[in-house]
Amino acid sequence: MNPSEKKHFTFDQIPDLTGKVAIVTGGNAGIGYIACRELARKNAHVFLLGRSIERGQAAVENIKSETGNHDVEFLHLNLKSLNSVKECAENFLARNLPLHILINNAVSHQSNTFSLTEDGIQEEFGVNHVGHFLLTKSLLPKIKASQPARIVNVSSRAHKYVENVIEFEKLNDPNAQDSMQRYALSKLANILFTNELNKRYLEGEQIYATSLHPGVVDTKLVRRNDLSLSETLVSSLISTEDGAITTLYCATSPEIEEKNYRGRYFEPFGIEGEKSSFAKDDDLAKKFWEFSENLINEKLSQK
């Protein structure tokens, strides 16, 4: 981005969030951490969710120190384990607090190594989609009771790289897709989940579910040697701070409610983007939803 280009949304446009409760997955680093910090700076009660207890608690203390807001807490969440997702949701619900903002941000990045979650689900799909699907559904009654509310699913422009019709039965076949396609499919799932969530549960409610591409954020993960980034892509990298802007736009901007943005997809910096043809397919969204529900029920019944 050209430094002189005006952003549609900036941190100083986040309204006061006193009395609001927010959950952010993957909040101990990267854009998740920035999102937690800026929500706390605007007086929200923030729950930072992550797999590493040590890093998560350190992040909480840093945010308290940076913002002066002491209503920042850590909850353990391992998205590679459906039981952990259930326990995390139960631990939050036991607090008997409202929930106004849910940001599904944690990401299993593209990897050349094929691996499975603890439940035997292909990892990118399991972490990026299935875990967040279960977490959101588990918290949805609380979100409905707390409306107006937001659900924000951090997807990626990579969803546009899905090339073929999705064969669900081959999800766990290590030879069915390369690493880019596995990651792209998981990010497509984030958008399809957002679409179908709006249709099934949120019509007529003051709950605004959106998805987004945060931008290609300059991190060590992005610059890994095995990803072989083009010079064009490297030149378009944005800072972690800028990477959090679109997430926070979807989570806090009054525009979302004023313009009744539901099931929309946004790109930096708070500008509506164009979804791929797969991401606009209502039948595919329905199939994804039913496949995800059946998969979760099957895995949890085996425990």
Side-chain angles (χ1 to χ4, degrees):
M1 176 183 171
N2 186 320
S4 64
E5 185 180 334
K6 185 174 174 5
K7 297 183 174 85
H8 178 68
F9 188 77
T10 55
F11 292 161
D12 60 7
Q13 291 174 268
I14 300 172
D16 179 60
L17 299 173
T18 300
K20 302 292 187 182
V21 179
I23 281 178
V24 183
T25 70
N28 64 351
I31 64 176
Y33 176 86
I34 302 299
C36 288
R37 186 193 70 193
E38 295 306 313
L39 292 169
R41 199 186 301 281
K42 293 293 186 172
N43 305 312
H45 186 162
V46 180
F47 286 84
L48 182 158
L49 277 52
R51 188 172 52 162
S52 169
I53 296 173
E54 182 180 0
R55 290 198 299 271
Q57 290 176 336
V60 163
E61 293 308 313
N62 287 339
I63 290 170
K64 288 179 179 179
S65 175
E66 285 188 80
T67 66
N69 183 347
H70 290 271
D71 284 331
V72 184
E73 303 183 52
F74 173 76
L75 285 179
H76 180 256
L77 170 67
N78 179 6
L79 286 161
K80 296 182 181 181
S81 164
L82 294 176
N83 273 344
S84 175
V85 176
K86 281 182 61 181
E87 288 171 8
C88 181
E90 288 165 2
N91 288 338
F92 175 80
L93 293 172
R95 298 291 305 276
N96 199 29
L97 290 167
L99 179 55
H100 306 97
I101 299 169
L102 172 61
I103 299 176
N104 291 316
N105 163 79
V107 175
S108 177
H109 288 269
Q110 179 188 342
S111 170
N112 286 335
T113 304
F114 182 91
S115 54
L116 301 175
T117 68
E118 293 178 16
D119 302 288
I121 303 169
Q122 186 264 308
E123 187 169 311
E124 286 94 338
F125 190 77
V127 170
N128 295 347
H129 168 61
V130 179
H132 285 123
F133 182 103
L134 177 59
L135 180 68
T136 304
K137 281 203 69 185
S138 300
L139 295 173
L140 193 56
K142 178 61 71 176
I143 295 170
K144 281 194 170 186
S146 310
Q147 56 187 296
R150 311 279 179 94
I151 299 171
V152 181
N153 294 317
V154 179
S155 179
S156 169
R157 185 175 62 194
H159 82 275
K160 297 180 180 181
Y161 301 155
V162 173
E163 296 172 345
N164 303 309
V165 175
I166 291 90
E167 298 177 279
F168 294 107
E169 68 279 5
K170 293 186 178 179
L171 184 68
N172 276 11
D173 181 352
N175 301 312
Q177 295 174 319
D178 62 24
S179 60
M180 183 67 243
Q181 286 298 299
R182 290 196 299 270
Y183 179 72
L185 179 61
S186 74
K187 296 286 92 184
L188 172 63
N190 295 148
I191 299 176
L192 292 173
F193 169 55
T194 307
N195 297 349
E196 190 68 9
L197 177 65
N198 274 285
K199 285 185 112 179
R200 287 183 182 239
Y201 290 103
L202 306 185
E203 288 186 1
E205 308 283 355
Q206 282 187 285
I207 304 172
Y208 303 85
T210 53
S211 59
L212 66 103
H213 167 56
V216 184
V217 180
D218 192 357
T219 66
K220 290 180 181 178
L221 277 169
V222 167
R223 289 182 178 270
R224 284 186 348 227
N225 291 333
D226 58 320
L227 293 184
S228 303
L229 297 184
S230 68
E231 288 185 17
T232 302
L233 185 55
V234 169
S235 69
S236 70
L237 294 177
I238 62 174
S239 69
T240 308
E241 302 262 335
D242 279 354
I245 288 176
T246 306
T247 297
L248 288 164
Y249 169 79
C250 292
T252 70
S253 174
E255 270 191 357
I256 298 293
E257 292 180 30
E258 290 166 2
K259 298 186 177 181
N260 198 30
Y261 285 147
R262 298 171 181 271
R264 304 294 185 92
Y265 166 75
F266 292 90
E267 295 182 340
F269 295 91
I271 300 296
E272 188 166 4
E274 183 66 23
K275 302 175 186 176
S276 72
S277 57
F278 280 130
K280 292 186 279 193
D281 187 328
D282 290 342
D283 289 337
L284 183 60
K286 183 179 179 183
K287 290 175 184 174
F288 247 107
W289 185 284
E290 292 170 352
F291 173 79
S292 302
E293 279 195 329
N294 291 336
L295 180 64
I296 289 169
N297 291 337
E298 174 196 331
K299 297 300 182 182
L300 288 177
S301 69
Q302 295 171 359
K303 299 292 183 182

